[in-house]
Amino acid sequence: MLEIHDLSKSFHHHLVLDHLNLKIQTGQLVYIHGINGSGKSTLFKLICDILKPDSGTIQISSDIHIGALIENPGFLENETLAFNLKFLASLNHNHDPQKIEQLCQLFQLDYQSRIKLKNYSLGMRQKAGIIQAIMEDQNLILLDEPTRGLDAESIQTFCQTINEFNAQGKTIVIAAHDYLKEIHYTHIYHLENGQFKQDEMD
Protein backbone atom coordinates (compact mmCIF):
# COMPACT_ATOMS: atom_id res chain seq x y z
CA MET A 1 0.00 0.00 0.00
CA LEU A 2 2.65 2.51 1.11
CA GLU A 3 6.38 2.00 0.78
CA ILE A 4 8.99 4.57 1.76
CA HIS A 5 12.55 3.93 0.66
CA ASP A 6 15.69 5.83 1.61
CA LEU A 7 13.75 9.04 2.32
CA SER A 8 15.68 12.13 3.42
CA LYS A 9 14.53 15.67 4.14
CA SER A 10 16.34 18.63 5.65
CA PHE A 11 15.49 22.22 6.50
CA HIS A 12 18.18 24.90 6.57
CA HIS A 13 20.91 22.25 6.66
CA HIS A 14 19.21 20.45 9.56
CA LEU A 15 18.55 16.82 8.65
CA VAL A 16 15.08 15.81 9.84
CA LEU A 17 14.59 12.49 8.02
CA ASP A 18 17.71 10.46 7.33
CA HIS A 19 17.38 7.68 4.73
CA LEU A 20 14.09 6.60 6.29
CA ASN A 21 12.49 3.29 5.31
CA LEU A 22 8.96 2.13 6.09
CA LYS A 23 6.45 -0.27 4.60
CA ILE A 24 2.79 -0.15 5.57
CA GLN A 25 0.38 -2.83 4.45
CA THR A 26 -3.36 -2.56 3.94
CA GLY A 27 -5.30 -2.76 7.20
CA GLN A 28 -2.47 -1.84 9.54
CA LEU A 29 -3.01 0.55 12.44
CA VAL A 30 0.29 2.29 13.09
CA TYR A 31 1.44 4.52 15.94
CA ILE A 32 4.46 6.80 15.44
CA HIS A 33 5.92 8.67 18.39
CA GLY A 34 8.89 10.95 18.87
CA ILE A 35 9.91 14.25 20.41
CA ASN A 36 8.91 17.63 18.96
CA GLY A 37 10.84 18.22 15.76
CA SER A 38 11.55 14.54 15.19
CA GLY A 39 9.91 14.67 11.77
CA LYS A 40 6.45 13.19 12.28
CA SER A 41 4.56 16.05 10.62
CA THR A 42 7.22 16.34 7.94
CA LEU A 43 6.77 12.68 7.07
CA PHE A 44 3.02 13.12 6.69
CA LYS A 45 3.51 16.18 4.49
CA LEU A 46 5.86 14.21 2.26
CA ILE A 47 3.38 11.34 1.95
CA CYS A 48 0.65 13.84 1.01
CA ASP A 49 2.94 15.55 -1.52
CA ILE A 50 2.78 18.85 0.36
CA LEU A 51 6.58 18.74 0.64
CA LYS A 52 9.14 17.23 -1.71
CA PRO A 53 11.91 14.96 -0.40
CA ASP A 54 15.58 15.75 -0.85
CA SER A 55 16.08 12.14 -1.87
CA GLY A 56 14.36 8.78 -1.70
CA THR A 57 10.99 7.57 -2.89
CA ILE A 58 7.42 7.22 -1.65
CA GLN A 59 5.31 4.64 -3.47
CA ILE A 60 1.56 4.63 -2.92
CA SER A 61 -0.86 2.18 -4.50
CA SER A 62 -3.03 3.69 -7.23
CA ASP A 63 -6.28 2.87 -5.42
CA ILE A 64 -5.34 4.85 -2.30
CA HIS A 65 -7.45 7.81 -1.21
CA ILE A 66 -5.65 9.70 1.55
CA GLY A 67 -7.39 11.53 4.37
CA ALA A 68 -5.12 13.62 6.56
CA LEU A 69 -5.04 15.85 9.61
CA ILE A 70 -1.62 17.48 9.80
CA GLU A 71 -0.68 20.02 12.47
CA ASN A 72 -3.35 22.68 12.99
CA PRO A 73 -6.36 22.11 10.73
CA GLY A 74 -6.96 24.96 8.33
CA PHE A 75 -10.45 26.09 7.34
CA LEU A 76 -12.29 28.95 5.68
CA GLU A 77 -12.49 30.94 8.90
CA ASN A 78 -15.47 33.12 8.00
CA GLU A 79 -17.64 30.17 6.98
CA THR A 80 -19.62 27.60 8.98
CA LEU A 81 -18.74 24.00 9.71
CA ALA A 82 -21.24 22.72 7.14
CA PHE A 83 -19.89 25.05 4.46
CA ASN A 84 -16.29 23.97 5.14
CA LEU A 85 -17.00 20.25 5.15
CA LYS A 86 -19.18 20.45 2.05
CA PHE A 87 -16.52 22.48 0.25
CA LEU A 88 -13.73 20.04 1.14
CA ALA A 89 -15.77 16.99 0.14
CA SER A 90 -16.79 18.60 -3.16
CA LEU A 91 -13.15 18.89 -4.22
CA ASN A 92 -13.13 15.12 -4.79
CA HIS A 93 -16.80 14.99 -5.84
CA ASN A 94 -17.45 12.84 -2.78
CA HIS A 95 -19.99 14.82 -0.78
CA ASP A 96 -22.22 12.62 1.35
CA PRO A 97 -24.16 15.04 3.61
CA GLN A 98 -25.83 12.27 5.61
CA LYS A 99 -22.52 10.64 6.50
CA ILE A 100 -20.92 13.98 7.31
CA GLU A 101 -23.79 14.95 9.58
CA GLN A 102 -23.62 11.58 11.36
CA LEU A 103 -19.91 12.12 12.05
CA CYS A 104 -20.63 15.59 13.40
CA GLN A 105 -23.26 14.12 15.74
CA LEU A 106 -20.79 11.45 16.82
CA PHE A 107 -18.24 14.09 17.80
CA GLN A 108 -20.91 16.39 19.27
CA LEU A 109 -20.58 19.17 16.72
CA ASP A 110 -23.67 20.97 15.46
CA TYR A 111 -23.59 20.51 11.68
CA GLN A 112 -26.30 23.15 11.21
CA SER A 113 -24.67 25.74 13.46
CA ARG A 114 -24.27 29.25 12.03
CA ILE A 115 -21.15 29.84 14.14
CA LYS A 116 -18.13 30.62 11.96
CA LEU A 117 -15.00 28.49 12.28
CA LYS A 118 -12.96 31.45 13.51
CA ASN A 119 -15.03 31.30 16.71
CA TYR A 120 -14.47 27.58 17.33
CA SER A 121 -12.45 26.41 20.33
CA LEU A 122 -9.30 24.35 19.85
CA GLY A 123 -11.18 21.14 20.63
CA MET A 124 -14.00 21.94 18.22
CA ARG A 125 -11.53 22.72 15.45
CA GLN A 126 -9.73 19.46 16.14
CA LYS A 127 -12.97 17.50 15.87
CA ALA A 128 -13.70 19.20 12.55
CA GLY A 129 -10.20 18.29 11.39
CA ILE A 130 -10.72 14.63 12.30
CA ILE A 131 -14.08 14.57 10.51
CA GLN A 132 -12.67 15.97 7.26
CA ALA A 133 -9.95 13.31 7.31
CA ILE A 134 -12.42 10.40 7.50
CA MET A 135 -15.66 11.65 5.94
CA GLU A 136 -14.97 10.59 2.33
CA ASP A 137 -14.38 6.89 2.91
CA GLN A 138 -10.62 7.41 2.71
CA ASN A 139 -8.67 4.16 2.91
CA LEU A 140 -5.36 5.62 4.14
CA ILE A 141 -5.85 7.98 7.08
CA LEU A 142 -2.96 10.04 8.49
CA LEU A 143 -3.62 11.77 11.82
CA ASP A 144 -1.08 14.13 13.39
CA GLU A 145 -1.68 14.77 17.14
CA PRO A 146 -5.39 14.10 16.60
CA THR A 147 -6.48 14.39 20.25
CA ARG A 148 -5.01 17.86 20.82
CA GLY A 149 -7.57 19.89 22.75
CA LEU A 150 -10.11 17.06 23.05
CA ASP A 151 -11.93 16.30 26.29
CA ALA A 152 -11.99 12.80 27.78
CA GLU A 153 -15.35 11.87 26.24
CA SER A 154 -14.24 13.00 22.78
CA ILE A 155 -10.99 11.05 23.11
CA GLN A 156 -13.00 7.92 23.91
CA THR A 157 -15.20 8.56 20.85
CA PHE A 158 -12.07 9.04 18.75
CA CYS A 159 -10.55 5.74 19.92
CA GLN A 160 -13.75 3.80 19.22
CA THR A 161 -14.06 5.37 15.78
CA ILE A 162 -10.46 4.55 14.86
CA ASN A 163 -10.86 0.92 15.93
CA GLU A 164 -14.10 0.62 13.96
CA PHE A 165 -12.59 2.15 10.83
CA ASN A 166 -9.59 -0.14 11.08
CA ALA A 167 -11.89 -3.15 11.49
CA GLN A 168 -13.47 -2.11 8.19
CA GLY A 169 -10.07 -2.53 6.53
CA LYS A 170 -8.90 1.06 6.53
CA THR A 171 -5.20 1.72 7.06
CA ILE A 172 -4.54 4.33 9.74
CA VAL A 173 -1.31 6.01 10.85
CA ILE A 174 -1.34 8.14 13.99
CA ALA A 175 1.59 10.34 14.98
CA ALA A 176 1.26 11.63 18.54
CA HIS A 177 2.93 12.14 21.87
CA ASP A 178 0.11 10.49 23.77
CA TYR A 179 -0.17 6.72 23.54
CA LEU A 180 -3.85 5.80 23.65
CA LYS A 181 -4.03 2.25 24.99
CA GLU A 182 -7.65 1.93 23.86
CA ILE A 183 -6.54 1.94 20.22
CA HIS A 184 -5.67 -1.50 18.85
CA TYR A 185 -2.36 -0.70 17.18
CA THR A 186 -0.73 -3.33 15.02
CA HIS A 187 2.66 -1.61 14.78
CA ILE A 188 4.48 0.99 16.88
CA TYR A 189 7.48 2.99 15.70
CA HIS A 190 9.76 5.47 17.45
CA LEU A 191 11.07 8.22 15.17
CA GLU A 192 14.48 9.31 16.43
CA ASN A 193 17.43 10.93 14.69
CA GLY A 194 15.59 10.76 11.39
CA GLN A 195 15.05 7.01 11.44
CA PHE A 196 12.51 4.51 12.72
CA LYS A 197 12.96 2.06 15.54
CA GLN A 198 10.13 -0.46 15.88
CA ASP A 199 8.87 -0.79 19.44
CA GLU A 200 7.88 -4.05 21.01
CA MET A 201 4.12 -4.55 21.26
CA ASP A 202 2.69 -5.15 24.72
Side-chain angles (χ1 to χ4, degrees), residues 94-105:
N94 198 14
H95 180 230
D96 183 342
Q98 184 177 3
K99 181 174 182 179
I100 293 172
E101 190 161 4
Q102 287 174 346
L103 286 170
C104 289
Q105 290 174 354

Side-chain angles (χ1 to χ4, degrees), residues 1-16:
M1 166 180 262
L2 171 65
E3 188 165 353
I4 296 169
H5 179 67
D6 212 25
L7 189 70
S8 294
K9 181 66 179 179
S10 59
F11 297 97
H12 307 294
H13 306 293
H14 172 64
L15 189 61
V16 177

Side-chain angles (χ1 to χ4, degrees), residues 158-188:
F158 171 77
C159 293
Q160 292 173 346
T161 302
I162 291 301
N163 288 332
E164 289 171 5
F165 272 51
N166 182 241
Q168 295 169 13
K170 300 181 187 299
T171 306
I172 303 170
V173 184
I174 296 175
H177 290 103
D178 297 330
Y179 175 78
L180 300 172
K181 61 182 181 180
E182 295 85 0
I183 294 179
H184 306 149
Y185 294 110
T186 61
H187 296 75
I188 299 176

Side-chain angles (χ1 to χ4, degrees), residues 1-199:
M1 166 180 262
L2 171 65
E3 188 165 353
I4 296 169
H5 179 67
D6 212 25
L7 189 70
S8 294
K9 181 66 179 179
S10 59
F11 297 97
H12 307 294
H13 306 293
H14 172 64
L15 189 61
V16 177
L17 301 178
D18 184 13
H19 301 283
L20 187 75
N21 294 285
L22 179 66
K23 189 171 184 178
I24 295 177
Q25 303 282 7
T26 299
Q28 290 183 351
L29 179 45
V30 178
Y31 172 57
I32 297 172
H33 64 104
I35 63 172
N36 289 337
S38 60
K40 302 185 299 295
S41 299
T42 297
L43 175 62
F44 280 5
K45 290 178 181 178
L46 289 165
I47 294 171
C48 293
D49 204 28
I50 297 171
L51 295 175
K52 300 294 183 183
D54 298 335
S55 61
T57 60
I58 300 174
Q59 295 178 312
I60 302 175
S61 301
S62 59
D63 61 342
I64 295 305
H65 180 200
I66 297 177
L69 169 63
I70 304 175
E71 295 181 332
N72 298 316
F75 296 101
L76 300 172
E77 296 294 328
N78 286 314
E79 301 293 349
T80 64
L81 174 66
F83 183 96
N84 271 274
L85 296 180
K86 181 178 179 179
F87 171 75
L88 291 170
S90 68
L91 296 177
N92 292 317
H93 307 288
N94 198 14
H95 180 230
D96 183 342
Q98 184 177 3
K99 181 174 182 179
I100 293 172
E101 190 161 4
Q102 287 174 346
L103 286 170
C104 289
Q105 290 174 354
L106 180 66
F107 282 96
Q108 298 183 327
L109 288 181
D110 182 1
Y111 181 69
Q112 304 296 342
S113 173
R114 305 312 300 168
I115 298 174
K116 296 178 180 180
L117 263 291
K118 66 181 181 182
N119 296 316
Y120 270 32
S121 68
L122 172 61
M124 292 169 69
R125 294 176 68 88
Q126 200 69 7
K127 292 177 185 180
I130 293 168
I131 290 167
Q132 63 81 31
I134 63 176
M135 67 182 180
E136 299 179 69
D137 200 31
Q138 296 97 327
N139 52 9
L140 174 58
I141 300 168
L142 309 176
L143 300 171
D144 181 17
E145 298 290 352
T147 59
R148 181 192 291 120
L150 297 189
D151 56 49
E153 184 178 352
S154 298
I155 291 175
Q156 184 179 15
T157 297
F158 171 77
C159 293
Q160 292 173 346
T161 302
I162 291 301
N163 288 332
E164 289 171 5
F165 272 51
N166 182 241
Q168 295 169 13
K170 300 181 187 299
T171 306
I172 303 170
V173 184
I174 296 175
H177 290 103
D178 297 330
Y179 175 78
L180 300 172
K181 61 182 181 180
E182 295 85 0
I183 294 179
H184 306 149
Y185 294 110
T186 61
H187 296 75
I188 299 176
Y189 296 98
H190 182 206
L191 184 54
E192 182 179 16
N193 297 323
Q195 295 186 341
F196 277 131
K197 298 178 181 179
Q198 185 167 4
D199 289 1

